Amino acid sequence: MKIDDEEIYVMTLIMAAGKGTRMKSNKSKLIHKIYDKELVKRVAKLAHDIGSDDVVAVVGYLREQVESVLGDTVQYAYQEELLGTGHAVMQATKYLEGKKGKILILYGDVPIIRKETLLNLIYKSNKNKEYATLLTAIYENPTGYGRIIRDEGGNIKSIIEEKDANMFEKEIKEINSGIYCFDIEELLNALKELKPDNAQGEYYLTDVIRIMNDKGLKTGAVIVEDNTEILGVNDRTQLELLTRVLRMRINSEHMRNGVTIEDSNSTYIHDDVEIGVDTVIHPNTTIKSGVIIGDNCEIGPNAYIRENCVLGNDVKVGSFVEIKNTTIGDRTKVPHLTYLGDTQIGCDSNIGCGTITCNFDGKNKNRTIIGDRAFIGSNVNFVAPVTLGDDVLIAAGSTITDDVPSKNMGIARERQINKLRKNMD
Ligand code: UD1
Ligand code: CA
C-alpha cells in the first residue's frame, strides 16, 4: 500500500483461532453479528479497506464456520492447538517468509476499530522507523490487560501480562490493545526466540517487544484516543455494548452531516448508508447497509428500509412501512402501513395506506413499476409483475393484476350491494 508516497508492503493478520466459550453459543463467537455483519467479516473488511496487500486469517476452533463467512476474501493459516498469541502468529510464517514490509495484527473479535486509527498506526511506524508499534490505551481499570512498561525516558520496554505482573506493574494504567504493526523480518526473527516461560505456559506475542528492545531495535506506541475502538466481544453483553457504541458512532456521523435523528437510542442505521441534509429520522427506524436517502426526507416512526433502496429528495416513508429493493422518486409519499418490495416509483406519487406489492410468486421475485403523479388508494395489492404509467389512479381496495396505462384509472374490486337485514325491528 501507499504510505506517504512510498510503496510499502503491508499484510494484515487476523487472529481468529480462539474459542470464545463465554458466548454460550453453538456457533463460533466470530460469526455472531453486529447489525447484519459477522464480527470477523467486519475485521476482514477493515483490513481490505485500509488497503492491505494481503490478508491472512489464523483459524482453528470451528474454522469451517469462520471460513464459510470469509470465503476466499482472505488467505488462511491454521492453528491446531491454542498455545498463545505468539504461537498463532507463528502459524502464518509461510506467508511472511521472504517478504519485506509491515504486518498489522488484528483480532476477529475486536471489530469496531476505526480505519483511521489503523492507518495512523502504520504511518507512525513507518515514519519513525519502528520495528514494533503498539496501539495502547489508558484505562482507569486496567485489570486483565497486558501493561505497558516504559523506561524513565518514556520509551516502550516491554509488555507484562496481568498474570505475570507484580504489584507495582499492576498499578500501570497504560494497557496493550493487542493491535500492533511490526516489521516483518524482525518479527520473524523475534518469533524464533519466544519461549512459553510464563504464568500461562504460552507463547506470548507480547514478548516480541522485549526481544526487539534487547536487540536495540526501535519500538514505539500510539495511544488510542477513543477507548471504545479497541473493545472486544467475549460475551453477549459485550456484543450488545459494541452494537450500541457503533450505533451511536454511525448516528452521530449522520447528525454531524446534517441529518436530524430524534432518538438515537432507537435508530438503527447500518454501515455505509447515505442520507441527505435536513432529512428527519423518527424513532424505531432501521435502515440497512447501502441504502441511499436524499435531502429533506421524512422517515419513520417505525420504518424499516431494507437492502437496495434509493430514495430521492423530499420523500416520505412513514410508520409501519417496510421497503426492500425499491426506488422512490422525488416528493413521493408512502405515509403508512405499506410493504413495497422490488418496486420502482416515480416522482410526486402518493401511495395509500395498506398498499402491498405481492412481489413473490412462490418461485421468483417480480417487479412493480409505478410512474409519476400516481395516486394509489388505500388497501391496494399489486400482484407483480405489473406496470403503471404516469398519472394513474388506483381505486381503494383494488387487487391489481394487469398493467394500467398512463392517465387511466384502475379499479379491481367487487361492487357493493346493500341488503336489508332480517329481524331488525
Ligand atoms: C492479549 C495480550 C494482552 C492484551 C490483550 C488485549 C498476549 C500474550 N496478551 O491478552 O497483552 O492486553 O490481548 O485484549 O498476547 N488467540 C489465538 N490463538 C491463541 C491464543 C489467542 O488465536 O493461541 C486469539 C484469541 O482468539 C483472541 C486473541 O488471540 O482473539 C487474544 O487472545 P487472548 O488469549 O484472549 O489474549 P489475552 O489474554 O486477552
Ligand atoms: Ca446481547
Side-chain angles (χ1 to χ4, degrees):
M1 63 193 269
K2 256 218 153 56
I3 305 171
D4 292 333
D5 288 333
E6 230 180 305
E7 193 57 41
I8 291 177
Y9 174 83
V10 175
M11 174 187 289
T12 296
L13 191 73
I14 302 173
M15 311 274 255
K19 272 208 160 119
T21 44
R22 280 178 280 165
M23 288 297 278
K24 302 274 168 58
S25 175
N26 295 322
K27 300 189 291 187
S28 159
K29 163 167 90 170
L30 302 174
I31 67 162
H32 284 262
K33 292 178 179 175
I34 292 181
Y35 284 156
D36 51 3
K37 245 190 232 90
E38 293 86 357
L39 303 180
V40 72
K41 198 171 196 164
R42 287 185 174 275
V43 178
K45 183 173 184 296
L46 266 169
H48 288 295
D49 285 352
I50 61 169
S52 307
D53 295 286
D54 281 303
V55 182
V56 175
V58 183
V59 294
Y61 183 69
L62 296 177
R63 64 183 286 201
E64 327 73 51
Q65 295 186 5
V66 175
E67 288 177 15
S68 78
V69 162
L70 295 181
D72 58 9
T73 62
V74 304
Q75 295 165 284
Y76 296 97
Y78 183 47
Q79 188 187 23
E80 212 161 318
E81 270 184 291
L82 299 178
L83 301 178
T85 47
H87 182 259
V89 178
M90 288 175 198
Q91 310 314 305
T93 304
K94 66 167 178 183
Y95 292 108
L96 294 166
E97 266 163 356
K99 295 229 165 68
K100 275 188 182 9
K102 307 231 165 245
I103 175 169
L104 176 71
I105 309 284
L106 299 180
Y107 298 82
D109 56 358
V110 182
I112 62 166
I113 186 147
R114 284 188 173 89
K115 202 172 117 175
E116 295 73 22
T117 304
L118 297 177
L119 286 172
N120 183 36
L121 188 73
I122 300 169
Y123 288 163
K124 174 159 189 291
S125 121
N126 185 54
K127 195 168 124 234
N128 297 355
K129 303 199 163 39
E130 289 163 356
Y131 291 88
T133 310
L134 331 177
L135 187 68
T136 69
I138 311 296
Y139 276 9
E140 255 332 290
N141 176 11
T143 310
Y145 291 91
R147 308 295 208 284
I148 306 297
I149 313 289
R150 293 181 184 254
D151 65 18
E152 303 75 31
N155 302 307
I156 306 277
K157 274 169 60 190
S158 60
I159 301 171
I160 185 103
E161 292 303 294
E162 168 94 18
K163 289 189 173 121
D164 304 292
N166 64 36
M167 55 187 284
F168 301 106
E169 291 161 338
K170 280 187 179 149
E171 292 294 311
I172 297 171
K173 296 204 185 315
E174 186 178 9
I175 62 103
N176 172 30
S177 72
I179 291 165
Y180 326 80
C181 178
F182 291 113
D183 172 83
I184 291 175
E185 288 170 304
E186 289 301 340
L187 175 67
L188 284 173
N189 289 336
L191 287 176
K192 292 190 192 115
E193 295 181 35
L194 288 187
K195 292 187 194 73
D197 53 357
N198 49 55
Q200 303 184 76
E202 289 182 356
Y203 294 90
Y204 286 169
L205 182 58
T206 46
D207 284 348
V208 164
I209 311 303
R210 182 183 38 77
I211 293 167
M212 286 183 170
N213 279 315
D214 286 351
K215 286 186 188 163
L217 299 170
K218 190 177 177 196
T219 61
V222 173
I223 302 176
V224 74
E225 279 170 33
D226 174 0
N227 285 348
T228 64
E229 286 188 45
I230 57 169
L231 286 169
V233 175
N234 292 308
D235 59 32
R236 291 182 201 240
T237 64
Q238 290 171 337
L239 184 64
E240 193 263 353
L241 171 67
L242 267 76
T243 306
R244 192 160 8 119
V245 169
L246 188 70
R247 180 171 76 237
M248 292 304 170
R249 193 197 286 172
I250 293 173
N251 290 358
S252 301
E253 176 83 20
H254 286 294
M255 290 189 272
R256 273 196 297 274
N257 291 336
V259 177
T260 295
I261 296 177
E262 277 181 348
D263 176 25
S264 215
N265 283 314
S266 68
T267 301
Y268 306 85
I269 304 174
H270 293 204
D271 316 62
D272 307 316
V273 169
E274 281 177 39
I275 309 178
V277 297
D278 294 325
T279 285
V280 177
I281 316 276
H282 297 290
N284 293 313
T285 291
T286 295
I287 302 173
K288 291 221 168 167
S289 287
V291 166
I292 299 173
I293 298 175
D295 295 349
N296 208 35
C297 294
E298 198 174 339
I299 312 292
N302 295 299
Y304 185 24
I305 304 189
R306 291 168 55 194
E307 60 276 12
N308 300 320
C309 286
V310 178
L311 277 53
N313 299 325
D314 306 290
V315 167
K316 175 168 180 154
V317 172
S319 31
F320 303 102
V321 175
E322 174 176 342
I323 61 176
K324 185 215 76 175
N325 197 22
T326 285
T327 305
I328 301 181
D330 296 345
R331 297 171 302 280
T332 286
K333 311 240 173 303
V334 191
H336 21 233
L337 294 157
T338 292
Y339 171 66
L340 300 175
D342 307 293
T343 303
Q344 183 186 319
I345 310 176
C347 302
D348 300 292
S349 289
N350 189 80
I351 308 296
C353 178
T355 297
I356 292 174
T357 55
C358 312
N359 59 325
F360 187 47
D361 60 14
K363 278 201 188 110
N364 299 308
K365 297 286 169 71
N366 300 302
R367 293 189 68 76
T368 298
I369 297 173
I370 301 175
D372 296 340
R373 296 172 302 278
F375 184 90
I376 312 298
S378 296
N379 205 30
V380 167
N381 303 315
F382 289 105
V383 182
V386 69
T387 299
L388 279 62
D390 296 333
D391 301 290
V392 159
L393 185 145
I394 303 293
S398 293
T399 293
I400 298 296
T401 54
D402 297 331
D403 292 353
V404 183
S406 290
K407 298 189 173 148
N408 273 239
M409 178 181 89
I411 177 163
R413 64 181 186 221
E414 288 286 299
R415 273 200 175 279
Q416 178 176 338
I417 41 170
N418 296 335
K419 292 181 177 175
L420 198 62
R421 295 176 69 186
K422 287 173 188 152
N423 308 320
M424 285 307 285
D425 39 29

